[in-house]
Amino acid sequence: MAKTSSSNAARSATLMPWLGMSLIVILLDQLSKIAVLRLFVYGDPHPVASFFNLLLIYNRGAAFSFLATAGGWQRWAFTALGIVAALVITWLLKRHSGQKLFCTALALILGGALGNVIDRLVHGHVIDFLDFHVGGWHWPAFNIADSGITIGAMLLVLDELRRVRAVR
């Protein structure tokens, strides 16, 4: 019985750095959103560079405003999806805690997913404010949580490419 309890403690200890990284993403995301909500008016762009604005907007859908006009059910569907993803990611982090690149990717995705879940629960929508553009073309606005998810996804691809190359 002592072995089981000590192995559980060891697993929890190896999980902590990854959960800490996720918590940093969540904190940066939520603090930035609080600042934007206090400083900016909805839809009023604040140019920072010729290709970048800070622009407070609300996204009721998912990536690229997918299902934003669906009538409200999507709030709960995307919240549930984010919670399920967080549980699966936490399980994967526990099982593969020694794989640094893989776990870094998962930790970033976990922090981003939970940052957006918090928005959906508290506000009923996700707060976006990073607006990149070229000429008249604007990339869909996003936030720090979305950045964590995107960077994490790119790291997952890199990790898999490294794994495939190592097998050859």
Side-chain angles (χ1 to χ4, degrees):
M1 190 72 160
K3 276 189 174 181
T4 303
S5 121
S6 66
S7 69
N8 285 342
R11 280 191 188 140
S12 293
T14 57
L15 191 59
M16 295 314 279
W18 310 121
L19 295 180
M21 186 181 299
S22 296
L23 182 61
I24 289 169
V25 172
I26 293 167
L27 289 173
L28 290 172
D29 178 63
Q30 291 299 303
L31 290 172
S32 66
K33 290 171 179 174
I34 289 168
V36 167
L37 282 171
R38 289 188 177 173
L39 296 173
F40 299 127
V41 174
Y42 181 87
D44 184 23
H46 296 270
V48 175
S50 64
F51 58 90
F52 174 62
N53 298 324
L54 292 174
L55 172 69
L56 172 61
I57 62 163
Y58 306 138
N59 183 356
R60 296 190 189 314
F64 308 108
S65 296
F66 175 66
L67 293 176
T69 59
W73 63 267
Q74 73 277 23
R75 171 188 184 188
W76 303 111
F78 291 135
T79 298
L81 181 62
I83 292 168
V84 168
L87 293 171
V88 170
I89 289 169
T90 302
W91 177 76
L92 287 168
L93 286 169
K94 201 174 213 180
R95 287 198 70 211
H96 303 282
S97 62
Q99 297 177 28
K100 291 184 180 186
L101 184 58
F102 181 69
C103 288
T104 297
L106 291 179
L108 292 171
I109 293 169
L110 176 62
L114 290 176
N116 284 338
V117 163
I118 291 167
D119 281 11
R120 290 181 200 289
L121 291 173
V122 172
H123 304 289
H125 53 259
V126 174
I127 297 162
D128 288 330
F129 59 91
L130 301 171
D131 174 38
F132 286 88
H133 55 90
V134 176
W137 185 80
H138 285 254
W139 187 259
F142 59 99
N143 57 44
I144 291 174
D146 298 333
S147 299
I149 293 168
T150 301
I151 293 167
M154 290 188 302
L155 291 176
L156 278 179
V157 170
L158 177 62
D159 183 61
E160 187 58 24
L161 290 173
R162 286 178 50 196
R163 194 180 332 270
V164 168
R165 185 177 289 160
V167 172
R168 285 185 181 175

